[in-house]
Amino acid sequence: MPNEKPAGGLQAVLNTLRHARRDMGWRRGARALLQVNQSDGFDCPGCAWPDPAERSRLEFCENGARAVSHEATTRRVTREFFAQWPIRRLLEQSDHWLEQQGRLTEPMLKRADSEHYEPVGWEQALGRIAQVLCALGSPDEAIFYTSGRTSNEAAFLYQLFARRFGTNNLPDCSHMCHESSGVALSEVIGVSKGTVGLEDFARADAIFVIGQNPGTNHPRMLTALQFAKRRGCRIVSINPLRERGLVSFAHPKEALGLLGRGTAISDLYLQVRVGGDVALLKGIMKEVLLAEQRSPGEVLDWEFIRTHTAGFEALRDDLARHAWRDLEAQSGISREDMRRAAQVYTSARSAIVCWAMGLTQHKHAVANVQEIANLLLLRGNIGRPGAGPCPVRGHSNVQGDRTVGITERPKPEFSRRLGEEFGFSPPAQRGFNIVEAIRAMAEGRAKAFVGLGGNFAVATPDSAYTAGALRRCQLTAQVSTTLNRSHLVIGSEAIILPCLGRSERDEQASGRQFVSVEDSMSVVHRSQGGLSPASAQLRSEPAIVAGLARAVLGDDDAVPWEAFAADYDRIRERIERVIDGFEDYNRRVREPGGFVLPNRARTRNFETPSGKAHFSVHPLPEASLGPGRFWLTTLRSHDQFNTTVYGFDDRYRGIHGDRRVVLLHPDDLASAGLREGQQVELTSHFEGQTRTLRGFRVVPYDLPRGCAASYFPEANPLVPIGSVADRSFTPTYKSIPISITAMETLK
């Protein structure tokens, strides 16, 4: 059962020190951590939570320190390692073991007839990729994937290269996380991003945190929540699991925090059923409308609704049609608790609603986010201080990558300006998203895969299907810092291109360089590492992309790729000319704290066809399951960042030494005839298909009846390739129908 101690505290400090000493050593570790999130340092390679205006010299969290320690490790993966380990034996190792081997040190090639990677020169590696790409029947037979850790500069060059090559096949990790947020918000408020800044957390009277576990995934957010709570802000947490960080937080930089004395975070904690968020939000809004009926003109912001919105009557009529018993049954939350949440909301002059992948990875994910927008619009909580929607990104520059052009569906205006700037006609046909890219590889319609960061083979859904798709490729190439399974689940040929990490010094022909990133709140700021590179053979991501572009497009290509690689200011000058909001980029990004990109929704200028924000109407999602079925949600452990597993302990949930676990309500264990610690088989069900995983240990846990939870990526094989969110096509990692069978029964 969950650890009852507050999140943070002395244990967070001790874990930080342990990882720093083990991975980096004391001197290197101290130097690295003192540079994290500093104006003259490097951006944390972990989450995208923004930096405060006034920063301490220790501006990092426990999980951020682990991400830095992992990147700045002194362990190395050399040519001798690859000579010793054939790919078939590496495939037998765990993901944790692979990642712990350390930093990649030189380009490596796996030939079509070989079981081993072998060292290869940079020009030979880039030349071989170019040969394969140029021999394709069509540019659309190539996939160019991007991870959220890629800088603005590298991402801009990457999309420029792909489009000059002739394709919009630019799927990225956003397709697997916040794509639903972007689709939903674009439709109803005209912008794909949130509208709040960090300063709004210091002004809000109420903060709703939905489908998010900041204690593990965005620990620095707890500081903002703690400060808000101490000044009187009321906080409502909505999540199937009762997470420690949303219950109590002990700030490790405070004396009382080190002693274990925490601040209670949530005034109200609603443990919604998996997939029940639409029903719950409708119930809260019904109570808001009832409060308006009791006190006409005092609850809803009628001036805002009439002036700035459309569709209110349709929303009001829809809410009236839903019976309370249906909303209670589907959400698992009583009407009384819905009323309590509504009272927190209506008594607040300004309110923020935050969310993460607990909302965006369902079939009805877009509806989840648009119901949040509905709630905010009722009281004019968009476009004023202390209020607004706040999607919290889980990777350090996934939002920035989208801003600078990483998308399979570029807007016509972006394509026009990109073409005018570089003198070509960008491809008009939309490219593949993540699921479409996997299917294209599986069906032989795509034959080459280039990954700029990430661990595609592990992060994606339906692991067996995805592995088969990658293995059908003629070539897979990965730009990476550390060894992972995507270097082993490969095409006939495979190439590893090792790159600099965020923490490392980047020297190019014009001198020392920096890159820039965009956080969850649209702040663009610089990032400049200071550590010595793990190997003299490492190249920066911009240099790798520029070199690959020149190799593929040839010496006659008019884009000055070498100049871009030599001086990143030249890249930023071009971004400035193509994308609005980056005016005077090179000067402003050098200012402490960077600059904020424009967002017209912040000033109630909604760039929708009507010029207004739109209320939207959604049916209740189908939530019924047959007997013996559960809704499985996948989640991170506290010893993990995305697909990178640091260890086997989940301190806040009280789970140690094991990741192949399934969490169930104690009463569900009893009714299913299961016992704590029993080994079970998990089977997912989708459109008559089943997918099965064996050897998961049952753990009783505080979550709603009929729901289950397990860690990703271990549970990713259960996620069907065809089960995606409506309109955003995000895989449904957070709502998978499963059955559970005791393994003794199967003998």
Side-chain angles (χ1 to χ4, degrees):
M1 297 300 284
N3 183 341
E4 294 302 319
K5 294 180 180 179
L10 179 61
Q11 192 61 53
V13 176
L14 295 177
N15 270 11
T16 296
L17 295 175
R18 178 171 61 86
H19 279 271
R21 179 189 61 80
R22 184 194 69 186
D23 294 339
M24 300 183 287
W26 289 121
R27 176 178 291 185
R28 182 177 174 85
R31 184 180 179 193
L33 294 178
L34 288 172
Q35 295 176 5
V36 182
N37 296 324
Q38 300 301 316
S39 295
D40 58 351
F42 63 92
D43 191 62
C44 177
C47 78
W49 188 252
D51 301 317
E54 297 182 8
R55 308 179 199 186
S56 73
R57 289 303 299 173
L58 301 176
E59 196 57 58
F60 56 85
C61 66
E62 174 190 355
N63 282 7
R66 282 193 280 201
V68 172
S69 298
H70 182 73
E71 176 183 288
T73 179
T74 57
R75 294 187 290 272
R76 301 289 181 262
V77 178
T78 63
R79 59 175 64 187
E80 289 78 16
F81 173 90
F82 284 113
Q84 176 187 354
W85 287 88
I87 289 173
R88 58 180 169 76
R89 286 188 58 207
L90 287 172
L91 282 167
E92 296 169 355
Q93 309 306 312
S94 70
D95 292 303
H96 172 257
W97 186 91
L98 294 171
E99 294 266 8
Q100 291 302 311
Q101 299 313 299
R103 290 291 300 278
L104 298 159
T105 55
E106 62 181 317
M108 303 298 295
L109 166 67
K110 202 288 292 185
R111 300 182 189 274
D113 58 351
S114 176
E115 267 278 301
H116 287 266
Y117 276 102
E118 61 187 69
V120 62
W122 273 102
E123 300 317 312
Q124 185 181 353
L126 297 177
R128 181 55 188 152
I129 298 172
Q131 285 180 334
V132 173
L133 293 180
C134 292
L136 295 174
S138 162
D140 289 326
E141 292 181 352
I143 307 293
F144 297 95
Y145 171 72
T146 317
S147 160
R149 59 143 281 161
T150 307
S151 67
N152 288 341
E153 292 76 9
F156 183 77
L157 291 189
Y158 197 53
Q159 63 82 31
L160 174 62
F161 160 51
R163 292 184 169 115
R164 283 190 72 82
F165 180 62
T167 185
N168 281 319
N169 286 347
L170 285 156
D172 73 322
C173 63
S174 182
H175 287 137
M176 295 184 282
C177 56
H178 269 290
E179 184 74 4
S180 301
S181 299
V183 170
L185 294 175
S186 294
E187 291 177 353
V188 296
I189 65 171
V191 64
S192 61
K193 306 176 184 181
T195 66
V196 304
L198 190 56
E199 67 278 3
D200 289 305
F201 281 77
R203 299 170 177 170
D205 298 311
I207 299 172
F208 284 66
V209 182
I210 309 181
Q212 184 185 1
N213 176 19
T216 287
N217 300 335
H218 320 91
R220 287 198 300 154
M221 181 179 176
L222 293 179
T223 301
L225 294 178
Q226 182 189 59
F227 178 79
K229 185 64 185 297
R230 286 176 173 175
R231 65 172 176 76
C233 177
R234 301 183 72 189
I235 297 174
V236 176
S237 295
I238 299 173
N239 200 65
L241 280 71
R242 193 170 178 83
E243 303 286 16
R244 291 308 307 159
L246 292 172
V247 175
S248 180
F249 173 56
H251 202 308
K253 295 179 186 176
E254 298 177 350
L256 290 177
L258 287 174
L259 294 174
R261 182 170 178 179
T263 300
I265 297 297
S266 297
D267 295 273
L268 178 63
Y269 204 124
L270 304 180
Q271 290 182 256
V272 65
R273 292 183 69 245
V274 171
D277 302 282
V278 167
L280 174 56
L281 289 162
K282 285 181 182 290
I284 293 172
M285 286 188 285
K286 279 175 71 76
E287 287 291 352
V288 171
L289 294 185
L290 288 172
E292 170 66 21
Q293 290 179 17
R294 293 191 294 269
S295 303
E298 298 181 13
V299 177
L300 300 187
D301 188 337
W302 286 110
E303 180 180 358
F304 174 81
I305 291 171
R306 294 185 184 109
T307 304
H308 295 289
T309 74
F312 170 76
E313 293 78 10
L315 174 70
R316 180 194 59 201
D317 295 345
D318 172 72
L319 294 175
R321 284 193 290 268
H322 293 291
W324 284 108
R325 63 179 178 276
D326 296 331
L327 300 180
E328 288 180 310
Q330 188 168 124
S331 68
I333 303 299
S334 68
R335 180 180 177 183
E336 176 56 32
D337 277 341
M338 294 181 193
R339 181 182 297 118
R340 293 171 66 196
Q343 288 171 344
V344 171
Y345 181 67
T346 57
S347 63
R349 292 168 297 179
S350 56
I352 293 171
V353 181
C354 309
W355 70 92
M357 286 176 279
L359 286 194
T360 63
Q361 293 179 329
H362 299 265
K363 179 174 174 54
H364 53 277
V366 171
N368 282 340
V369 176
Q370 291 186 343
E371 294 290 9
I372 286 174
N374 286 338
L375 178 64
L376 290 168
L377 292 172
L378 287 176
R379 285 179 51 79
N381 275 313
I382 296 181
R384 58 188 178 86
C390 181
V392 182
R393 312 287 172 166
H395 215 321
S396 56
N397 196 42
V398 63
Q399 184 161 303
D401 289 350
R402 277 301 173 89
T403 299
V404 300
I406 297 293
T407 175
E408 83 286 6
R409 292 179 294 177
K411 293 181 178 179
E413 176 64 9
F414 174 85
S415 295
R416 182 188 66 78
R417 293 177 66 171
L418 186 73
E420 289 178 354
E421 179 64 27
F422 291 100
F424 78 113
S425 298
Q429 180 178 342
R430 70 177 294 272
F432 297 140
N433 59 38
I434 285 288
V435 169
E436 291 167 338
I438 295 169
R439 282 184 161 151
M441 290 187 287
E443 296 165 5
R445 293 181 287 116
K447 300 173 183 177
F449 174 91
V450 181
L452 186 57
N455 188 357
F456 187 88
V458 171
T460 42
D462 212 337
S463 305
Y465 183 85
T466 299
L470 288 166
R471 287 177 171 133
R472 286 206 66 186
C473 288
Q474 180 180 346
L475 172 73
T476 53
Q478 308 281 343
V479 179
S480 306
T481 54
T482 57
L483 184 67
N484 62 51
R485 194 161 299 276
S486 291
H487 304 123
L488 312 175
V489 180
I490 51 180
S492 297
E493 292 182 76
I495 293 176
I496 298 173
L497 304 174
C499 67
L500 293 171
R502 286 268 181 89
S503 60
E504 291 171 319
R505 192 168 54 251
D506 183 356
E507 297 281 355
Q508 300 297 333
S510 67
R512 190 176 175 189
Q513 305 297 309
F514 68 86
V515 295
S516 60
V517 296
E518 179 186 348
D519 65 31
S520 283
M521 297 177 188
S522 300
V523 179
V524 177
H525 57 281
R526 61 182 283 168
S527 174
Q528 186 172 48
L531 299 181
S532 298
S535 165
Q537 290 229 45
L538 301 185
R539 291 188 180 182
S540 72
E541 288 183 333
I544 293 172
V545 173
L548 180 59
R550 179 60 76 198
V552 172
L553 301 175
D555 293 338
D556 294 336
D557 189 72
V559 174
W561 298 106
E562 292 81 4
F564 289 155
D567 185 351
Y568 302 167
D569 278 358
R570 306 289 80 79
I571 307 172
R572 289 184 282 270
E573 288 171 356
R574 299 301 188 99
I575 294 174
E576 176 181 335
R577 295 207 284 262
V578 173
I579 305 170
D580 289 337
F582 286 91
E583 294 78 10
D584 207 5
Y585 194 175
N586 277 313
R587 180 189 64 80
R588 290 195 296 160
V589 79
R590 285 174 163 86
E591 295 178 352
F595 61 94
V596 182
L597 290 171
N599 182 327
R600 297 192 67 196
R602 286 181 173 143
T603 56
R604 296 185 170 179
N605 291 300
F606 300 110
E607 295 182 332
T608 62
S610 68
K612 294 186 175 185
H614 285 260
F615 289 96
S616 55
V617 172
H618 303 278
L620 284 179
E622 176 58 46
S624 60
L625 290 174
R629 300 281 175 88
F630 300 85
W631 284 112
L632 174 71
T633 185
T634 63
L635 38 79
R636 283 190 201 172
S637 78
H638 194 63
D639 232 1
Q640 166 183 9
F641 173 70
N642 288 347
T643 59
T644 302
V645 176
Y646 304 124
F648 297 91
D649 294 337
D650 195 351
R651 184 170 80 247
Y652 294 157
R653 298 192 183 105
I655 298 171
H656 300 279
D658 193 3
R659 291 182 53 83
R660 292 181 71 84
V661 296
V662 58
L663 282 53
L664 294 169
H665 191 282
D667 291 346
D668 282 335
L669 265 72
S671 60
L674 300 172
R675 63 182 184 278
E676 181 176 356
Q678 190 169 11
Q679 294 289 305
V680 297
E681 177 181 278
L682 309 180
T683 300
S684 66
H685 304 266
F686 178 74
E687 295 183 348
Q689 305 169 7
T690 59
R691 293 159 178 80
T692 298
L693 290 173
R694 297 171 61 85
F696 278 65
R697 177 171 62 90
V698 173
V699 175
Y701 205 81
D702 181 12
L703 76 171
R705 295 289 307 271
C707 301
S710 191
Y711 298 127
F712 79 86
E714 286 82 359
N716 283 7
L718 297 173
V719 184
I721 192 67
S723 182
V724 296
D726 295 333
R727 303 206 305 285
S728 72
F729 300 97
T730 296
T732 59
Y733 298 97
K734 292 293 187 288
S735 51
I736 310 160
I738 66 165
S739 56
I740 303 175
T741 307
M743 290 184 64
E744 297 95 309
T745 306
L746 300 170
K747 294 180 181 179

